[in-house]
Amino acid sequence: MSTASESGTYVEPGEFKRDTTYITTRITADGRDGYPVEAGRYRLIAARACPWANRTLIVRRLLGLEDVLSLGLCGPTHDKRSWTFDLDPGGVDPMLGIAFLRDAYLKRFPGYPRGITVPALVEVSTGQVVTNDFAQMTLDFATEWTRFHRPGAPRLYPEPLRAEIDAVNRRVYTEVNNGVYRCGFAGSQDAYDAAYDRLFTALDWLSDRLATRRYLVGDTITEADVRLFTTLVRFDPVYHGHFKCNRSKLTELPVLWAYARDLFQTPGIGDTIDFTQIKQHYYVVHADINPTRIVPKGPDLSAWLTPHGREALPGTPFGDGTPPPPPRETERVPAKSTPGK
């Protein structure tokens, strides 16, 4: 059964399966799918709670697309029908004029049969969803939206490294990004045990890879780091307990913990993280796993701001580029949801 979850997840007896059928229309520089890159034409609909949508928030910040691609944020919780705009006055997105994200899906595809997922790109003038293909979306931000990149923007998907980035991303996606869900939504003990072993085998591989290199591929931040980070940052607050990924906490994996802190403290990455919304989403929406819907108070998040020591390794976050400016006032994460505030 598809739901309105961020990832189209559902549970079957045995191994967890993910609905991976997305709207594959692309927004490109040449407009070959009928949707050319244009300033102000599209609105990114995301949710800070969702790891897949969190990628788009980070990439949009790092590349400096805020002035050309507006942002609508859904709240952390939803029902089976749709993500909703309950953070906005009156519960209505101020630009699209809708209360339910599903309205944008149905406007283009009446009777749309699959989950209403974030992130989604919506054409403002028609109110129609263009795509919800989250994996392609950030690659296109990096390669198709280049004329709108800010000066000093990083090269998140540089052509010489694409084959290696793609290979790393495949393993990270299957074993880590999706691996935590395979643990959390396993429908049998055997399926859970297998998912658990696969997850921690991959995390051990990543620890070995990152022990002598600051970033996953090359010597600057790339798409690969963005994709891994959004899972790591949710690991202790959610996946360790809620999804039973409890061989080790992130804070007990020295290399990955230092790597995650390094990225968190990088402008444009950690400033997209809302720990309050992350916990609310998982513990409230996944009532089959947490029927009481009680949201835990912990863990202590202050250590995210402690020194990580990764500067000693080769590489710098932006290479020859520069960090993005601070987030605009209207897009800042509330202080109560960030460490040290």
Side-chain angles (χ1 to χ4, degrees), residues 43 45 71-73 85 87-89 91-99 124:
R43 186 163 176 81
I45 304 301
L71 175 63
L73 288 173
F85 296 97
L87 301 177
D88 292 308
V92 174
D93 180 87
M95 186 170 288
L96 300 177
I98 58 176
V124 176

Side-chain angles (χ1 to χ4, degrees), residues 12 74 165 181 233 253 275:
E12 292 181 346
C74 297
I165 291 172
Y181 284 84
V233 78
L253 300 170
F275 282 107

Side-chain angles (χ1 to χ4, degrees), residues 1-3 5 7-21 114-115 178 181-182 184-187 286 288:
M1 177 184 69
S2 294
T3 72
S5 86
S7 50
T9 58
Y10 59 98
V11 181
E12 292 181 346
E15 184 180 355
F16 160 79
K17 305 291 184 182
R18 179 179 296 282
D19 182 351
T20 57
T21 303
R114 316 200 77 84
N178 199 41
Y181 284 84
R182 276 204 311 272
F185 289 103
H286 298 161
D288 48 344

Side-chain angles (χ1 to χ4, degrees), residues 16 30 55 104 127 164 191 197 231 326 332 334:
F16 160 79
D30 63 6
R55 299 176 181 182
E164 187 177 1
D197 290 343
T231 294
R332 289 181 182 173

Side-chain angles (χ1 to χ4, degrees), residues 257-334:
W257 174 223
Y259 166 79
R261 297 202 313 281
D262 186 4
L263 292 177
F264 184 85
Q265 294 171 30
T266 300
I269 298 181
D271 54 41
T272 70
I273 301 301
D274 188 319
F275 282 107
T276 298
Q277 288 196 18
I278 287 170
K279 291 195 297 182
Q280 287 173 341
H281 171 71
Y282 285 92
Y283 287 102
V284 173
V285 171
H286 298 161
D288 48 344
I289 298 176
N290 183 42
T292 65
R293 298 185 175 181
I294 294 172
V295 179
K297 292 183 70 173
D300 180 8
L301 301 170
S302 59
W304 279 99
L305 299 179
T306 59
H308 49 74
R310 301 277 295 178
E311 306 94 334
L313 295 172
T316 57
F318 302 103
D320 295 331
T322 57
R328 54 187 58 189
E329 183 67 32
T330 56
E331 295 185 7
R332 289 181 182 173
V333 174

